[in-house]
Amino acid sequence: MLIDRYGRRIDYLRLSVTDRCDLRCTYCMPKGFNGFEEPEHWLSFDEIERVVAAFARLGVGRVRLTGGEPLLRRDLPVLAARLSRLPGMADLSLSTNATQLGRHAGALKQAGVNRLNISLDSLQSERIATIAGRDVLSDVLAGLAAAQAEGFQPIKLNMVVQPGVNDDEIEAMVRFSMEHRFILRLIETMPIGTTGQQSGFLDLQQVLKSLSRQFDLVPSATELGGGPARYWQSRDGEFTLGAITPISQHFCATCNRVRLSVDGTLYLCLGQNDKLALRPLLRSGASDEELEQAIRDAISLKPERHEFREQPSKVIRFMSATGG
């Protein structure tokens, strides 16, 4: 097992397969940005499989495919099938904006992807266009319908809540999720890159109290995917609400994850700059034992916590470059 110096077991890898995206969400990537990683620096499918296999041998059984927008990576279901068959792989999931999901849902399900997290910040076309750079609401809704038709369960909706932008839509999103049997997760904006630092932050604590009263929700101890969300459920168990609150109530003491970017850089904390480049090892003939030792050494560098409140402008890389 991978245990860091603070006694946390690391069993979750978030794997970015591309830093490209077909949207420009205001909190993630600047409008007009084109400073993407060169394709020759991307890890190949063989390299990705080798790294994930090394993590799996070290006890990391949860992998989430992220981006950018992961469905822009050609033949992603082929990679997913390869990863799902690795010994020790317990859970393979995908984060997506769902604009391409209608075409790929069936292939992803057949490839062994277990669960989906889908970004949806608004149910209003004009607002989606403001947040994401263009109106893709109909594409996202079609992707959600395709995912449900393929039997994906659960499907989580991720709503990044921004004051004065979409915070007045939280109740509508709750009712939409109830109607369609989605899990809704509200997320505080993180100050990552200039885009995240310029986006407004809304403390979700009072929002959660209000929603709990309005919809008669009770805290839930149910574990849903190994991530950082805290959950509440309706008393009949038919609806689940999650919250990811890295600013108002951080979860660093139980952090169990690291992130691998498309160029093979292993980031140890979303809110810090600690990292290790694995691509040079992969392309210089390192043995599996050397690769595993490099991963162990990297985990020993994982910091205790982020400093989003203390140093909100510390992390200058964009979220899309780090990987979900």
Side-chain angles (χ1 to χ4, degrees):
M1 292 191 298
L2 290 175
I3 308 293
D4 73 6
R5 54 185 165 160
Y6 301 103
R8 299 170 296 196
R9 180 184 174 188
I10 309 305
D11 62 1
Y12 184 10
L13 174 66
R14 298 180 67 95
L15 170 66
S16 175
V17 296
T18 181
D19 59 347
R20 286 158 169 73
C21 190
D22 54 345
L23 302 180
R24 292 294 182 273
C25 293
T26 52
Y27 50 80
C28 184
M29 189 189 302
K31 185 177 181 180
F33 176 77
N34 61 3
F36 300 108
E37 191 61 61
E38 295 296 328
E40 58 265 28
H41 295 161
W42 297 358
L43 293 191
S44 68
F45 283 7
D46 287 344
E47 290 169 332
I48 291 172
E49 183 176 6
R50 189 176 176 210
V51 172
V52 174
F55 270 100
R57 290 193 298 270
L58 294 169
V60 177
R62 299 178 187 270
V63 174
R64 174 170 294 279
L65 302 171
T66 71
E69 171 45 51
L71 291 178
L72 295 184
R73 181 77 184 252
R74 184 176 298 175
D75 296 326
L76 182 68
V78 174
L79 174 64
R82 291 172 64 170
L83 298 183
S84 69
R85 292 193 293 264
L86 289 174
M89 181 63 62
D91 181 58
L92 181 65
S93 56
L94 173 77
S95 290
T96 175
N97 63 27
T99 61
Q100 313 290 319
L101 186 58
R103 297 188 292 114
H104 296 292
L108 291 167
K109 185 69 173 177
Q110 289 185 344
V113 174
N114 305 117
R115 297 178 297 104
L116 299 174
N117 283 12
I118 294 174
S119 297
L120 183 60
D121 294 330
S122 175
L123 296 170
Q124 300 178 28
S125 292
E126 299 83 359
R127 213 168 259 185
I128 288 286
T130 298
I131 296 170
R134 61 191 181 95
D135 174 20
V136 292
L137 182 59
S138 61
D139 293 330
V140 175
L141 295 179
L144 284 167
Q148 286 189 313
E150 291 296 335
F152 279 102
Q153 184 67 29
I155 296 174
K156 300 176 184 176
L157 300 185
N158 288 345
M159 180 186 188
V160 177
V161 182
Q162 300 179 74
V165 177
N166 64 348
D167 56 325
D168 61 339
E169 231 179 313
I170 294 174
E171 181 181 334
M173 194 70 77
V174 169
R175 296 190 184 281
F176 174 80
S177 300
M178 285 180 163
E179 178 184 355
H180 296 281
R181 303 182 68 84
F182 298 129
I183 294 172
L184 175 63
R185 305 197 309 172
L186 306 178
I187 303 175
E188 291 177 348
T189 308
M190 288 173 273
I192 297 176
T194 53
T195 49
Q197 291 158 15
Q198 292 169 0
S199 297
F201 159 69
L202 178 68
D203 186 327
L204 287 178
Q205 300 306 317
Q206 293 303 315
V207 172
L208 294 167
K209 290 180 181 178
S210 177
L211 292 176
S212 295
R213 291 191 299 268
Q214 183 176 357
F215 294 97
D216 195 21
L217 306 177
V218 295
S220 171
T222 302
E223 195 280 318
L224 294 171
R230 293 174 293 133
Y231 289 99
W232 290 259
Q233 282 189 324
S234 57
R235 292 187 185 275
D236 60 8
E238 294 295 312
F239 171 67
T240 300
L241 174 72
I244 299 177
T245 55
I247 312 298
S248 65
Q249 186 176 340
H250 71 76
F251 34 82
C252 299
T254 58
C255 182
N256 63 339
R257 69 206 67 89
V258 292
R259 290 170 168 81
L260 186 69
S261 68
V262 66
D263 70 346
T265 302
L266 186 64
Y267 290 98
L268 287 312
C269 175
L270 191 58
Q272 298 284 4
N273 291 312
D274 304 83
K275 61 186 178 181
L276 177 69
L278 292 180
R279 189 179 77 235
L281 282 173
L282 295 166
R283 297 187 179 178
S284 64
S287 66
D288 286 348
E289 292 75 15
E290 290 171 323
L291 180 59
E292 289 175 23
Q293 187 57 53
I295 292 171
R296 290 191 191 94
D297 292 343
I299 296 303
S300 71
L301 301 176
K302 185 173 172 64
E304 183 176 14
R305 52 161 300 186
H306 63 66
E307 297 173 302
F308 285 148
R309 280 198 180 275
E310 298 86 348
Q311 299 188 65
S313 61
K314 183 175 184 177
V315 179
I316 60 173
R317 65 181 183 273
F318 299 118
M319 177 69 85
S320 58
T322 305

